[in-house]
Amino acid sequence: MARLIRNKQGIPSTLLTRFLNSPSSLLTLPYYSTSKRSLRTLAYEEIQANPNKPYTHTAFILHGLLGSARNWRSFSRTLVSSLSDSPSEWRMVLVDLRNHGNSAEMEGLDPPHDLVNAAKDLGNLINSKGWESPDVVIGHSMGGKVALQFAKSCGNRDYGENVKLPKQLWVLDSVPGEVTSDNSDGEVEKVLQTLQSLPSTVSSRKWLVNHMLDLGFSKSLSEWIGTNLKKAGGEETWAFNLEGAVQMFHSYRELSYWSLLEHPPKGLEISIVRAEKSDRWDADVITRLESLASPEGDGSAGKISVHVLPSSGHWVHVDNPKGLLEIMAPKLKSLMP
């Protein structure tokens, strides 16, 4: 059984590790999770299989638009479990990006709300905590582009000497270039416009889900939107800062990281995972990515690898968590302690 972990201020964590809705049967170890916050930095959760042992490696996990750290708890526990037979002791840091999750309530995360500042928040978190840089950064959807911006800025030493390039960067079903309206079915825009048209509080989660269904959105999407509510007196309000998230989405669409993929910094491997059934990829983008996939070189530059996750749509950690684990775990294990 998991036990309650207290943070440095002696305040009980609001998060106990639970084997809830696990997408895999690989969970065999006890897990410990705690939520921490610091002024002007991001909210985050930590997951380790053996919290009494000092960790040797760290992975940051970044969620997508309108998501939060909790979306990745189950997969992170499974990933930690799969790495437990390696000589390394892994720590997963699940981050709430600005305007999302518990970071939506943070002071000091000032505009502009773009991916450059979202990545800078990660550097500030590392510096404020006195942590070593993460060995691995994993980003899904919008979080994948935040991860690319983080690597770009680390390469430029924008965050100071203490924040160094990760060894591995994982970009999960996130198109690295500009996302134009021609390359989008407009669903995200429709969701954001719908949410902007609603009052800041609604009567109940059930009302919201039914309203989204009445507007023609799918049941799975409507129910997922419903999970982003939190209690506000006798009503429900958003668990994210909607206007800030909209600004981040615009930045996500506008920024391109092809130059980083074409010239990856020495010591960094960027792994792109494309979901087989995802509708976000054009044929020319796929061809361009595959042309960049690099064999083992002489070590003078970084590497690009491209993977296809079978039987999965955009929600890779839900649609095929086992397949995603099989792609990622061996590479993480290859990092020496």
Side-chain angles (χ1 to χ4, degrees):
M1 294 291 292
R3 59 180 174 82
L4 177 66
I5 298 177
R6 296 179 179 268
N7 60 25
K8 292 181 180 179
Q9 289 76 29
I11 302 172
S13 167
T14 59
L15 292 172
L16 291 178
T17 300
R18 303 180 296 264
F19 295 96
L20 294 179
N21 302 320
S22 169
S24 169
S25 61
L26 296 175
L27 297 177
T28 57
L29 298 177
Y31 292 85
Y32 301 85
S33 156
T34 182
S35 176
K36 299 182 181 180
R37 297 191 296 178
S38 294
L39 186 64
R40 299 185 182 277
T41 62
L42 299 170
Y44 62 93
E45 302 174 19
E46 294 177 279
I47 293 178
Q48 276 185 262
N50 301 294
N52 294 324
K53 292 183 179 180
Y55 57 83
T56 60
H57 288 75
T58 295
F60 276 19
I61 300 182
L62 315 179
H63 60 80
L65 181 70
L66 304 186
S68 67
R70 67 180 184 179
N71 300 147
W72 284 85
R73 285 178 193 160
S74 291
F75 181 80
S76 298
R77 295 178 189 130
T78 308
L79 182 58
V80 163
S81 175
S82 72
L83 299 172
S84 63
D85 60 352
S86 73
S88 304
E89 181 65 33
W90 280 88
R91 174 183 68 147
M92 303 290 153
V93 178
L94 285 60
V95 176
D96 279 336
L97 297 175
R98 60 168 52 213
N99 299 306
H100 293 76
N102 288 326
S103 292
E105 303 172 359
M106 291 295 181
E107 299 178 20
L109 300 178
D110 298 324
H113 295 301
D114 55 23
L115 301 197
V116 174
N117 276 324
K120 184 179 179 180
D121 294 338
L122 301 177
N124 289 342
L125 176 63
I126 294 166
N127 282 321
S128 70
K129 292 295 179 184
W131 290 341
E132 293 185 0
S133 295
D135 303 276
V136 177
V137 178
I138 303 164
H140 173 241
S141 196
M142 183 183 73
K145 274 195 165 179
V146 175
L148 288 167
Q149 178 63 51
F150 178 76
K152 178 181 178 180
S153 296
C154 285
N156 295 334
R157 298 185 178 179
D158 291 344
Y159 310 138
E161 294 297 324
N162 181 55
V163 184
K164 299 178 174 60
L165 271 171
K167 300 179 180 69
Q168 293 181 12
L169 201 73
W170 289 86
V171 180
L172 308 180
D173 210 52
S174 182
V175 177
E178 294 180 35
V179 181
T180 66
S181 56
D182 294 338
N183 297 329
S184 170
D185 63 5
E187 183 179 52
V188 176
E189 292 89 336
K190 292 174 186 175
V191 169
L192 293 176
Q193 290 170 3
T194 298
L195 300 186
Q196 287 177 305
S197 71
L198 296 174
S200 59
T201 60
V202 297
S203 58
S204 68
R205 184 166 301 176
K206 181 179 180 181
W207 179 91
L208 176 64
V209 171
N210 287 336
H211 180 70
M212 299 292 288
L213 289 171
D214 290 342
L215 293 175
F217 292 104
S218 68
K219 182 179 180 181
S220 59
L221 177 60
S222 300
E223 290 178 343
W224 179 75
I225 292 296
T227 66
N228 287 288
L229 291 172
K230 62 180 181 180
K231 290 289 185 182
E235 294 188 304
E236 305 260 0
T237 189
W238 302 118
F240 45 72
N241 176 350
L242 180 57
E243 293 307 316
V246 169
Q247 293 173 42
M248 293 176 72
F249 174 67
H250 291 321
S251 177
Y252 159 81
R253 292 188 59 171
E254 293 165 359
L255 291 178
S256 173
Y257 296 95
W258 282 115
S259 60
L260 178 66
L261 296 180
E262 290 165 352
H263 306 285
K266 179 180 179 181
L268 172 65
E269 178 172 2
I270 303 175
S271 296
I272 310 290
V273 177
R274 175 174 65 86
E276 181 183 37
K277 296 181 179 180
S278 175
D279 58 3
R280 307 190 176 211
W281 299 87
D282 286 346
D284 58 339
V285 173
I286 295 173
T287 300
R288 187 174 181 181
L289 267 181
E290 291 175 344
S291 71
L292 295 175
S294 50
E296 293 293 336
D298 59 6
S300 61
K303 289 180 53 182
I304 304 294
S305 60
V306 179
H307 312 266
V308 177
L309 180 63
S311 304
S312 177
H314 181 63
W315 306 102
V316 292
H317 56 306
V318 175
D319 292 348
N320 189 0
K322 184 177 180 181
L324 183 61
L325 185 73
E326 290 172 350
I327 291 172
M328 296 181 65
K331 282 187 174 288
L332 268 64
K333 286 182 180 180
S334 70
L335 297 177
M336 299 299 291

